[in-house]
Amino acid sequence: MDVEQAILTRRSIRAFTDQPVPKETIDRILALSQRAPSGTNTQPWHTYVCTGAVKDAISRDVLEMVDKGQAKGYDELDYYPAKWKDVHRDRRRGVGWSLYGLLGIEKGDREGSMRQAKRNFKFFDAPVGLFFTVDSYLLRGSWSDTGLYMQTIMLAARGEGLHTCPQAAWINYPEPIFRHLNIPDDQVLVSGMAMGYEDNTAIENTLVSEREDVANVVRYVGFD
């Protein structure tokens, strides 16, 4: 698969099959992705890959926390702002309601919305879960580097016929993740990710999120 095709076919998949992903395939993806750029070559990321009983245990314990209302807040973690500007709020709502529309979840259906939100914590049934951390003393540059690394993984996965879904939702429930994966206390969770083979029968996987017109986000300076 060439780079253009990998970029154009990468989507956040929210329904996977149970087809196992060979460890050798994951090894190739992660070895290739280690070529991702980072500021002054610091390579600040740590990656934890789970499947089977460990993955299931993380899902079980996090879902229990969800049911008990034990989430941390995104703003508490300096991850997302407490209040969004209109342009960003509208984009978030747009993709959310597009997904819910496909699933038949209407506005005001809190039970349906929660049911779909909780699928995050089953990795959307993907057989492989990944978690990315950085050392807690590092700042925003290293988080940016980790994002570059994650994008490289997502594109490399397409080359293997796999799909992914990056998942910020996990950061609200770090304790079970750190415990089951033996992550040191001096690291901080950046994101989770589901990886596997797309369920081509799932309607939610037909969602292609809108992108802003290039003219609205790019400014050329100094060109004739």
Side-chain angles (χ1 to χ4, degrees):
M1 183 180 295
D2 66 25
V3 174
E4 182 176 359
Q5 186 180 9
I7 293 171
L8 291 176
T9 60
R10 188 217 62 80
R11 308 188 316 282
S12 291
I13 293 301
R14 295 179 176 86
F16 293 84
T17 72
D18 60 1
Q19 179 180 347
V21 179
K23 183 177 181 294
E24 295 77 13
T25 301
I26 302 171
D27 287 343
R28 284 196 299 272
I29 291 169
L30 295 180
L32 181 61
S33 300
Q34 198 62 28
R35 296 302 309 172
S38 59
T40 61
N41 198 36
T42 51
Q43 304 171 61
W45 48 78
H46 304 277
T47 305
Y48 299 84
V49 188
C50 60
T51 191
V54 174
K55 181 177 73 71
D56 292 344
I58 292 171
S59 292
R60 180 196 65 232
D61 290 355
V62 169
L63 284 168
E64 183 177 341
M65 293 179 70
V66 173
D67 289 339
K68 292 180 178 179
Q70 295 176 333
K72 293 181 179 291
Y74 284 118
D75 54 335
E76 175 188 351
L77 298 165
D78 292 329
Y79 202 93
Y80 289 141
K83 184 176 181 180
W84 296 89
K85 290 185 177 180
D86 290 350
V87 61
H88 303 128
R89 180 204 61 200
D90 292 347
R91 290 172 184 164
R92 284 168 56 84
R93 288 179 176 175
V95 72
W97 287 118
S98 293
L99 174 62
Y100 286 177
L102 287 172
L103 295 169
I105 301 172
E106 299 180 355
K107 290 184 179 181
D109 182 359
R110 293 186 178 181
E111 182 178 344
S113 298
M114 177 55 71
R115 183 172 59 251
Q116 178 60 27
K118 289 169 74 170
R119 282 191 46 72
N120 269 287
F121 307 116
K122 294 183 178 180
F123 299 91
F124 299 110
D125 299 324
V128 178
L130 300 93
F131 293 97
F132 306 96
T133 69
V134 296
D135 290 7
S136 56
Y137 84 94
L138 295 171
L139 301 178
R140 67 180 69 182
S142 297
W143 282 61
S144 175
D145 292 339
T146 304
L148 296 173
Y149 170 68
M150 290 175 58
Q151 174 75 343
T152 305
I153 289 174
M154 290 186 280
L155 296 180
R158 293 299 302 121
E160 297 284 349
L162 295 167
H163 275 284
T164 55
C165 185
Q167 298 174 277
W170 290 104
I171 75 154
N172 295 314
Y173 305 94
E175 192 278 329
I177 299 166
F178 275 56
R179 173 164 43 86
H180 285 292
L181 297 178
N182 295 314
I183 300 175
D185 291 340
D186 61 355
Q187 295 178 24
V188 62
L189 186 62
V190 175
S191 183
M193 182 183 292
M195 178 184 289
Y197 295 96
E198 176 185 6
D199 180 352
N200 292 310
T201 69
I203 192 169
E204 54 264 51
N205 288 340
T206 66
L207 175 65
V208 179
S209 55
E210 295 182 358
R211 290 296 187 268
E212 194 68 54
D213 190 282
V214 171
N216 294 331
V217 298
V218 176
R219 297 291 180 269
Y220 289 98
V221 180
F223 289 82
D224 294 333

